[in-house]
């Protein structure tokens, strides 16, 4: 988080004299300045099955604090055809190890934030920059196809189930403006977050000695690509634990109500 706030400070110094993007906005709306709360709904994440609600509260003339909750119930991945193409082998798609149609996952995240407005109208109006932290949990359910087992004429699909718990920090910028009395439109233009995720994935199935030996090749490749991943293979299945980098993008258009 220290890095996040340093980046924010640099960004602040670069735009502190930015012209107010909403200075030409119609001033006919009369708003009670004592009303210091906003509740928001972002419809954009609904495209991939996620509900998103936010709360924002004014703390100074130019700043607010708030938080965003996102929730996605367990379901199959969206945009399956696009994701499948990403994972396909460029030279052959006959023996894919990844089949997106077998993937199910759920996600919950909580993101507290602090937001600074640079417009002449102060908090809730104009161009802003926000620094935020994000805590999230993803539950994964996927039948992974192990070609190592296919070569042994064994069932190659092992049910991978587990959790990915991530913590990250980031910044984003946007513009918010009043669209009528107590209603606002919040355009989160672009932002990003980066951090670490702890993974705990298990594949529970009775494995023979021959199958365990074959799966060691997969485990070694996994270790070579992800140095902080540990694994255990025994007669009860596979256990995968460790840390991986975690990143995300932030954007959206929210409808807000002031109260």
């Amino acid at each position: 988080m220290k890095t996040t706030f340093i980046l924010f400070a640099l960004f602040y110094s670069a735009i502190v004299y930015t012209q107010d993007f909403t200075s030409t906005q119609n001033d006919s709306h009369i708003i009670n300045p004592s009303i210091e709360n906003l509740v928001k709904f972002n419809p954009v994440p609904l495209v991939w099955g996620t509900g998103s609600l936010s709360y924002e509260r004014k703390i100074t003339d130019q700043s607010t604090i708030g938080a965003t909750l996102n929730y996605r119930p367990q379901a199959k991945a969206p945009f399956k055809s696009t994701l499948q193409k990403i994972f396909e082998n460029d030279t052959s798609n006959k023996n894919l190890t990844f089949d997106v149609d077998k993937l199910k996952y759920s996600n919950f995240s909580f993101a507290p934030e602090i937001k600074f407005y640079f417009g002449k109208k102060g908090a809730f109006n104009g161009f802003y920059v926000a620094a935020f932290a994000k805590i999230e949990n993803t539950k994964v359910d996927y039948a992974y196809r192990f070609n190592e087992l296919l070569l042994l004429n064994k069932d190659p699909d092992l049910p991978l189930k587990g959790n990915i718990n991530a913590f990250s920090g980031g910044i984003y910028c946007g513009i918010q403006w009043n669209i009528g009395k107590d209603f606002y439109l919040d355009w989160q233009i672009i932002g990003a977050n980066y951090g670490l995720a702890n993974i705990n994935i298990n594949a529970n199935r009775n494995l023979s000695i021959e199958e365990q030996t074959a799966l060691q090749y997969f485990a070694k490749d996994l270790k070579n690509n992800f140095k902080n991943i540990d694994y255990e293979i025994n007669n009860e299945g596979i256990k995968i634990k460790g840390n991986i980098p975690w990143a995300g993008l932030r954007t959206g258009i929210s409808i807000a109500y002031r109260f």
Side-chain angles (χ1 to χ4, degrees):
M1 287 304 296
K2 289 183 179 179
T3 302
T4 298
F5 284 102
I6 291 172
L7 290 173
F8 172 77
L10 293 173
F11 196 34
Y12 175 93
S13 63
I15 65 172
V16 68
Y17 297 110
T18 300
Q19 182 179 0
D20 181 9
F21 286 0
T22 59
S23 60
T24 59
Q25 183 179 338
N26 189 345
D27 292 327
S28 61
H29 304 304
I30 300 175
I31 302 170
N32 186 346
S34 65
I35 300 177
E36 299 181 340
N37 305 279
L38 285 179
V39 62
K40 304 179 183 182
F41 170 67
N42 183 358
V44 175
L46 290 176
V47 175
W48 48 88
T50 299
S52 180
L53 288 175
S54 300
Y55 170 76
E56 185 176 351
R57 180 174 177 81
K58 179 180 176 181
I59 55 173
T60 72
D61 289 341
Q62 300 291 140
S63 63
T64 64
I65 57 172
T68 296
L69 287 174
N70 291 328
Y71 175 68
R72 183 188 194 274
Q74 188 176 54
K76 290 188 175 182
F79 313 114
K80 291 187 291 186
S81 60
T82 301
L83 288 174
Q84 189 63 60
K85 289 180 181 179
I86 294 174
F87 288 96
E88 282 179 355
N89 189 305
D90 292 336
T91 58
S92 173
N93 61 359
K94 295 181 179 179
N95 294 310
L96 293 176
T97 57
F98 184 85
D99 184 354
V100 71
D101 197 48
K102 297 178 180 179
L103 173 65
K104 292 182 180 179
Y105 73 95
S106 64
N107 178 269
F108 172 81
S109 68
F110 172 70
E113 66 179 40
I114 183 168
K115 186 179 293 184
F116 297 90
Y117 288 84
F118 300 95
K120 296 177 181 178
K121 295 183 179 180
F124 298 148
N125 293 278
F127 180 77
Y128 65 78
V129 175
F132 68 99
K134 191 172 186 179
I135 304 165
E136 58 187 307
N137 170 262
T138 302
K139 293 184 178 180
V140 178
D141 185 347
Y142 177 65
Y144 187 85
R145 185 179 183 86
F146 289 87
N147 285 333
E148 294 84 356
L149 299 180
L150 188 64
L151 295 174
L152 298 176
N153 293 319
K154 303 288 186 178
D155 181 3
D157 293 337
L158 263 66
L160 297 177
K161 295 183 179 182
N163 294 282
I164 303 174
N165 296 306
F167 178 80
S168 58
I171 59 174
Y172 71 97
C173 63
I175 303 173
Q176 185 165 267
W177 59 93
N178 176 245
I179 57 175
K181 198 176 179 181
D182 296 325
F183 289 92
Y184 288 74
L185 198 62
D186 180 9
W187 178 24
Q188 301 168 35
I189 300 172
I190 192 65
N193 54 291
Y194 182 81
L196 287 176
N198 178 268
I199 67 171
N200 188 350
I201 306 292
N202 298 321
N204 296 320
R205 196 179 87 180
N206 292 331
L207 298 174
S208 66
I209 296 297
E210 187 181 30
E211 289 174 317
Q212 294 176 50
T213 302
L215 289 172
Q216 291 291 342
Y217 293 101
F218 161 80
K220 289 179 180 178
D221 287 340
L222 182 68
K223 187 68 174 178
N224 289 334
N225 292 323
F226 300 97
K227 302 297 183 182
N228 294 321
I229 295 294
D230 293 319
Y231 61 87
E232 180 182 347
I233 300 174
N234 54 40
N235 63 327
E236 297 179 348
I238 302 174
K239 295 181 180 180
I240 303 171
K241 295 183 179 182
N243 298 313
I244 59 174
W246 194 260
L249 294 175
R250 182 159 179 170
T251 186
I253 299 178
S254 298
I255 299 171
Y257 177 73
R258 187 169 181 172
F259 65 98

